[in-house]
Amino acid sequence: MNTIICPSGTRPGILYGLSKVHKAVIDNIPSLRPILSAINTPAYKLAKFLVPILAPLTTNVYTVKDSFSFAKEVVSFDSNLCMASLDVESLFTNIPLDETITNCINDLCGNNNKFGKFDKKDLFDLVKSASYESSFIFDNQLYRQIDGVAMGSPLGPSLANAFLCHYEKTWLDDCPVAFKPVVYKRYVDDVFTLFSSPTHVQLFVNYLNSKHQNIKFTSEIEKNNEFSFLDIKITRNVNTNNLVTSVYRKPTFSGVFSNFDSFIPEVYKKGLIFTLLFRCFSICSDQLTFNTEVDSLKAVLKKNSYPIGFIDKCVNIFLNKINIPKVDCYDVPKKELLVVIPFIGKLSLKLRTRLQSAFKVLPQCKVKVIFQSTCRLSSFFRFKDVIPKSLRSNLVYKFSCGSCNATYYGKTIRHFKVRASEHIGLTPLTGKRVKNPKLSAILDHHLLTNHIASFDDFKVLSTETNEFRLLIKESLLIARDKPQLNNNIYSVPLKLFN
């Protein structure tokens, strides 16, 4: 367990905003949805560990798994009822953490004082540690969140769903029959409802808004026998007296996908078409609606420079897969080996073929090669704060002596300032000289030559989340540049160059 949840080389979260382009613009400024990038924060691993523990509390008879399952369910509802949706205003930031955590622990433990191997108090402290007082950077300032949860935090969806799941059954059971919804289905903070009369919608909203001071609902009613929920368009067919589902696209939908001329592998272009076709097939309730959606999809893809022959080929492959019965295979599943390589054109495709051929000697394994772009649009337009160099971790660094040409390459999974301070014999917090410094080639060079070393002499060369790949990067740099201060030839043996 310690290897899973113990933090090392952590950093503060990064808060940024994503524009709500479908919302109203006020004073030429679009509203923003706050998102917290919580990867590698002190409580990140602990939060990931707690997510499956809280999972049983996040679903009930009223929750919807995804839009695909809801599309299959909604066609069975009574089409004579009034369709409406409810939306919880700012659910994530408004849920009371203390109350939510207490409810979760009580629901998990019941009348017992233990849940599995955890005492009730210990489990409460773990959830509280993973969700309370998270620090983050915004506009180069450090902040601390004192209540609510942020979108982007691993525990955010779990706590938000658990909070509503705890209360909504009681709220619905106690709701007056006069305006109680016939159907109530919720996906996180979006609720689909069916009422006997349109006048019941506002009465039900007023009732819910009186149940908890932190939670406020808004509503929207169907228009012209049509209604949208998630990415599903629900239409009342007055001729057949049933509900028909199709793909819903917001008015702000631009129709822009990865262009066919983009510098990406062809398999990714096919994957895009297969994904969009699967979405249409899973959401559309009948063949006629599916055919209409496919025609619309073809028109959009053509605008993104996709050849009609290429599109038709993908459509035929998809239809053959869903129409031909799948034969069950009882072979032992192969172990999947994941290899990530940069995409630089035909050379990368040839390398993939050679890798897959090389591993044919291991019939129990299957190599899956994933291409990664070396240059992304986000690298030119940064919208997140940059973590200060001193707080960065999991990196390869270079030391260059300011008084001579001596260099040193190293790696660290801890904070960069901590490791750099060890090299120059200083404490990272106060910057004072350490009485008994750790052994370091850089410090030895500093003492022998009387050259002054400082934090500015260190430069970050590369980052890597996997420690073994970090060692490989360090070894490759040492083998290439042969820095004078490195005593070792490499950190990990490079068999390829022997």
Side-chain angles (χ1 to χ4, degrees):
M1 183 187 300
N2 291 338
T3 58
I4 298 175
I5 64 177
C6 287
S8 176
T10 60
R11 62 167 177 79
I14 303 175
L15 188 74
Y16 62 97
L18 291 181
S19 177
K20 298 181 182 180
V21 294
H22 60 290
K23 298 288 186 180
V25 177
I26 301 175
D27 296 331
N28 294 323
I29 301 176
S31 57
L32 296 176
R33 177 181 286 110
I35 308 292
L36 177 67
S37 176
I39 297 175
N40 206 30
T41 54
Y44 182 73
K45 292 182 179 179
L46 176 59
K48 296 274 284 186
F49 172 77
L50 292 170
V51 167
I53 295 178
L54 298 179
L57 307 178
T58 62
T59 58
N60 58 23
V61 294
Y62 302 112
T63 54
V64 173
K65 180 183 178 182
D66 51 40
S67 58
F68 300 149
S69 60
F70 179 75
K72 295 178 180 179
E73 187 178 7
V74 72
V75 293
S76 63
F77 295 154
D78 188 350
S79 62
N80 295 315
L81 299 173
C82 173
M83 296 182 286
S85 70
L86 309 180
D87 180 71
V88 185
E89 292 184 352
S90 304
L91 172 63
F92 280 64
T93 53
N94 281 328
I95 65 168
L97 268 181
D98 266 337
E99 180 182 342
T100 304
I101 296 173
T102 301
N103 292 340
C104 288
I105 303 306
N106 290 337
D107 292 342
L108 281 174
C109 298
N111 296 325
N112 302 321
N113 287 323
K114 294 191 70 176
F115 175 78
K117 298 181 180 180
F118 294 101
D119 291 333
K120 192 173 183 179
K121 182 182 180 304
D122 292 339
L123 187 58
F124 180 88
D125 291 339
L126 283 175
V127 179
K128 191 172 181 179
S129 298
S131 54
Y132 252 107
E133 298 186 355
S134 58
S135 58
F136 57 86
I137 291 177
F138 178 73
D139 197 20
N140 295 320
Q141 295 291 324
L142 190 64
Y143 295 88
R144 180 168 59 91
Q145 184 170 346
I146 58 176
D147 203 2
V149 294
M151 294 186 69
S153 171
L155 274 181
S158 298
L159 292 175
N161 274 310
F163 173 80
L164 288 179
C165 284
H166 178 83
Y167 286 111
E168 64 189 349
K169 186 178 187 304
T170 304
W171 294 346
L172 289 169
D173 289 344
D174 296 342
C175 180
V177 180
F179 54 81
K180 184 178 180 179
V182 179
V183 173
Y184 178 99
K185 292 292 180 180
R186 178 179 58 82
Y187 182 81
V188 191
D189 58 350
D190 292 320
V191 185
F192 176 84
T193 55
L194 291 176
F195 291 90
S196 301
S197 171
T199 58
H200 295 172
V201 179
Q202 192 56 46
L203 293 174
F204 183 65
V205 171
N206 294 338
Y207 165 77
L208 290 179
N209 287 340
S210 66
K211 304 308 291 183
H212 198 287
Q213 60 180 1
N214 287 54
I215 302 302
K216 298 300 176 185
F217 288 82
T218 59
S219 63
E220 185 178 349
I221 304 178
E222 65 171 279
K223 294 179 181 179
N224 301 323
N225 293 322
E226 292 184 350
F227 194 71
S228 62
F229 182 71
L230 302 179
D231 58 344
I232 304 172
K233 180 181 178 182
I234 308 169
T235 306
R236 181 184 292 105
N237 190 324
V238 294
N239 296 323
T240 58
N241 198 30
N242 66 337
L243 296 177
V244 179
T245 58
S246 59
V247 177
Y248 171 71
R249 299 177 180 86
K250 293 180 180 179
T252 53
F253 174 68
S254 62
V256 176
F257 293 111
S258 297
N259 195 279
F260 187 78
D261 296 324
S262 299
F263 189 66
I264 56 176
E266 185 178 287
V267 65
Y268 289 4
K269 300 169 187 176
K270 291 180 179 179
L272 169 65
I273 299 178
F274 291 147
T275 300
L276 295 174
L277 287 171
F278 179 79
R279 180 188 178 210
C280 295
F281 179 78
S282 302
I283 290 179
C284 295
S285 57
D286 55 52
Q287 187 65 43
L288 180 61
T289 309
F290 173 68
N291 292 339
T292 303
E293 288 296 335
V294 171
D295 291 338
S296 176
L297 182 60
K298 287 183 178 180
V300 173
L301 290 171
K302 285 175 65 178
K303 292 181 179 178
N304 287 272
S305 303
Y306 282 75
I308 189 62
F310 184 85
I311 301 172
D312 288 338
K313 182 179 177 181
C314 292
V315 172
N316 291 333
I317 294 173
F318 177 82
L319 293 177
N320 288 334
K321 282 187 177 181
I322 62 175
N323 290 325
I324 298 176
K326 184 177 181 181
V327 179
D328 293 331
C329 181
Y330 298 99
D331 292 340
V332 177
K334 296 183 178 181
K335 182 178 180 181
E336 193 173 85
L337 302 177
L338 189 66
V339 179
V340 181
I341 60 175
F343 182 72
I344 53 177
K346 292 182 179 181
L347 185 62
S348 297
L349 300 177
K350 290 181 180 179
L351 179 58
R352 178 184 62 182
T353 303
R354 293 181 63 181
L355 285 171
Q356 292 172 340
S357 299
F359 277 89
K360 284 183 179 180
V361 296
L362 300 175
Q364 72 275 20
C365 297
K366 178 183 178 182
V367 176
K368 185 176 182 180
V369 179
I370 294 180
F371 297 111
Q372 190 176 56
S373 175
T374 55
C375 184
R376 299 184 180 183
L377 191 63
S378 59
S379 61
F380 297 97
F381 303 97
R382 291 190 177 274
F383 55 91
K384 296 181 183 178
D385 284 82
V386 178
I387 296 295
K389 186 171 75 169
S390 59
L391 293 179
R392 296 177 66 180
S393 57
N394 297 299
L395 50 85
V396 178
Y397 59 89
K398 176 183 179 181
F399 168 80
S400 301
C401 181
S403 302
C404 64
N405 294 324
T407 57
Y408 176 89
Y409 288 153
K411 66 91 184 172
T412 182
I413 61 173
R414 296 177 295 159
H415 287 147
F416 186 34
K417 187 174 182 179
V418 173
R419 183 58 180 142
S421 298
E422 287 179 350
H423 277 307
I424 54 182
L426 303 177
T427 59
L429 293 178
T430 63
K432 295 181 179 179
R433 186 66 56 185
V434 179
K435 293 182 179 179
N436 298 308
K438 294 183 179 181
L439 295 176
S440 168
I442 296 175
L443 184 60
D444 290 343
H445 174 76
H446 166 61
L447 296 175
L448 288 173
T449 61
N450 287 326
H451 292 169
I452 299 176
S454 69
F455 188 64
D456 295 332
D457 295 330
F458 292 85
K459 179 183 178 181
V460 176
L461 299 179
S462 180
T463 58
E464 179 58 65
T465 55
N466 183 280
E467 188 173 359
F468 181 69
R469 290 200 292 265
L470 201 65
L471 288 169
I472 293 177
K473 285 186 175 183
E474 181 192 22
S475 299
L476 288 172
L477 288 169
I478 293 174
R480 184 192 70 181
D481 296 342
K482 298 177 176 56
Q484 301 91 321
L485 300 182
N486 283 86
N487 297 322
N488 56 331
I489 302 175
Y490 44 67
S491 298
V492 64
L494 299 173
K495 300 294 185 182
L496 186 64
F497 298 96
N498 287 346

